Amino acid sequence: MKKREASHRTESALRRDAQALRASQLYYVQHLTMDSIARDLGTSRSTVSRLLTYARDAGMVTITITEHERQAPETAAAIARTFGVRVHVVPTDGGLSEAQVLDRVALQAALLVGRLVDSEMTIGVAWGSTMSAISRHLKRKPTHDSVVVQLNGSGNTQSSGIGYSSEILHRFGTAFTARVEQFPVPTFFDHAETREMMWQERSVRRVLDLHAHMGLAVFGLGTIGAEVPSHVYRGGYLTPLDISALRRQDVVGDIATVFFRADGDTAGIELNRRSTGPALDLLKTVPRRLCAVAGQSKVPALAAALHAGYITDLVVDEGAARHLVRHHERHAATR
């Protein structure tokens, strides 16, 4: 009985896949109306709509909007010219909350990740509020022999952090049928000497070697004062003394818990010696470095990261993009 039920479910799934594929071909390639497709399939218009939605979610259909430089919005073109990056500005309006803006940016970033990921690729994935949002919007794209590797540890004195980071990594691994490699170390060691010793361990070296061979890194930017606070600043990772020290050292943000100043410099920031994130000079060797940013409060950190060359591909909301251009113009005028 159970075998017959399983067989029936398999046949039903195959039938649905075949119908979804046919409906997609008729709709997107042949440009038939939904009513015409419904007659072709012998079903209802609402069923055709559900089949098309299923086809998109299952990765049978991908929709690409190509934004040529001459067609790009003025703000995106200005950012691209100034910083030499590929820019995707997400349309938003002033009536959206910062959480809603983040969700829109995450959706666009997830689509871009899907285009960039390929077989036999090592994909470095950070964790945090932005990365969690991106992971929820990923569409399935099967690949072969690809690896998703955690960029920085996620443990702290209150939690191992494994549940939070592994959920993000699992979504990436599932979307791209990739092997997942976690980084089972704390976000920050208590002592820099401990980190140096751990970095000699073979189990840790294996993950660090994956970092050295990444083809794509995906990350957000952490900032202390964002309206949607970065997870590292609200999840028990930093003590009040740590945050005070970062402010004294003029830190404006972090990438995968590696901190930098307004000029992008990381030198002399004590907490970086205890951080398990990749050195940003190493990050700059990764061919594609996709950063997603939502909210104007992150603009100082974004400007610093762009000036330092840490980003090759940027997804940013419209309000933050305009603020970034004004921020650059003001600082350029004072130089």
Side-chain angles (χ1 to χ4, degrees):
M1 175 69 100
K2 288 183 178 179
K3 286 184 178 179
R4 283 202 301 273
E5 288 177 355
S7 175
H8 177 73
R9 284 196 297 270
T10 301
E11 290 173 5
S12 177
L14 289 172
R15 219 171 20 248
R16 180 182 60 180
D17 286 353
Q19 283 191 315
L21 182 58
R22 183 174 178 81
S24 299
Q25 290 170 332
L26 293 174
Y27 186 75
Y28 292 107
V29 180
Q30 302 299 326
H31 304 296
L32 268 63
T33 66
M34 287 196 189
D35 288 329
S36 298
I37 298 169
R39 287 194 296 273
D40 182 274
L41 296 177
T43 187
S44 67
R45 190 178 190 279
S46 60
T47 298
V48 172
S49 178
R50 288 194 293 271
L51 287 170
L52 292 173
T53 299
Y54 170 75
R56 289 194 299 271
D57 291 343
M60 296 180 192
V61 174
T62 57
I63 299 172
T64 302
I65 299 173
T66 303
E67 189 178 87
H68 296 293
E69 186 175 348
R70 67 179 182 276
Q71 300 168 319
E74 183 179 344
T75 305
I79 295 170
R81 285 195 305 269
T82 301
F83 299 105
V85 295
R86 304 170 185 89
V87 186
H88 304 263
V89 175
V90 180
T92 55
D93 61 67
L96 299 175
S97 69
E98 192 147 341
Q100 290 172 319
V101 171
L102 171 60
D103 194 61
R104 286 198 183 184
V105 168
L107 175 58
Q108 179 65 47
L111 293 173
L112 181 55
V113 170
R115 296 210 298 269
L116 294 177
V117 168
D118 206 349
S119 293
E120 301 182 358
M121 176 181 277
T122 299
I123 307 118
V125 173
W127 49 262
S129 305
T130 301
M131 293 302 303
S132 180
I134 292 171
S135 71
R136 290 193 294 270
H137 287 294
L138 292 170
K139 301 296 184 183
R140 182 173 168 79
K141 178 186 177 181
T143 64
H144 303 286
D145 301 319
S146 53
V147 181
V148 171
V149 61
Q150 184 175 343
L151 280 179
N152 53 323
S154 55
N156 61 33
T157 56
Q158 300 176 19
S159 164
S160 68
I162 291 175
Y164 178 74
S165 60
S166 65
E167 186 176 29
I168 296 170
L169 292 166
H170 174 73
R171 289 172 184 154
F172 271 82
T174 299
F176 304 118
T177 58
R179 186 176 93 243
V180 172
E181 291 285 351
Q182 292 185 302
F183 199 10
V185 293
T187 307
F188 302 102
F189 286 103
D190 288 337
H191 306 285
E193 295 76 16
T194 307
R195 175 184 179 275
E196 291 172 8
M197 287 188 290
M198 279 293 294
W199 260 218
Q200 304 307 312
E201 294 292 323
R202 283 178 296 175
S203 60
V204 174
R205 290 293 330 162
R206 184 174 60 82
V207 177
L208 297 178
D209 287 343
L210 288 173
H211 287 173
H213 293 90
M214 292 185 291
L216 169 67
V218 187
F219 52 89
L221 292 179
T223 54
I224 296 174
E227 286 184 40
V228 178
S230 303
H231 191 74
V232 71
Y233 298 103
R234 60 180 170 83
Y237 294 89
L238 297 170
T239 67
L241 288 176
D242 290 331
I243 293 176
S244 295
L246 292 175
R247 292 186 189 279
R248 284 197 308 273
Q249 294 173 93
D250 299 320
V251 165
V252 296
D254 75 273
I255 294 173
T257 60
V258 177
F259 300 93
F260 54 87
R261 301 184 182 86
D263 60 358
D265 187 30
T266 63
I269 300 173
E270 180 60 27
L271 200 54
N272 285 344
R273 297 183 61 228
R274 298 193 279 117
S275 172
T276 54
L280 299 188
D281 283 342
L282 170 64
L283 183 71
K284 287 173 69 172
T285 67
V286 179
R288 299 297 287 268
R289 306 181 294 280
L290 170 58
C291 179
V293 174
Q296 296 183 23
S297 57
K298 293 197 174 185
V299 165
L302 175 57
L306 287 168
H307 277 297
Y310 299 142
I311 299 167
T312 61
D313 298 80
L314 173 65
V315 180
V316 61
D317 69 273
E318 191 172 12
R322 293 181 186 280
H323 191 63
L324 173 64
V325 172
R326 291 194 297 269
H327 179 279
H328 172 74
E329 290 171 349
R330 285 197 305 271
H331 283 75
T334 60
R335 286 177 192 150

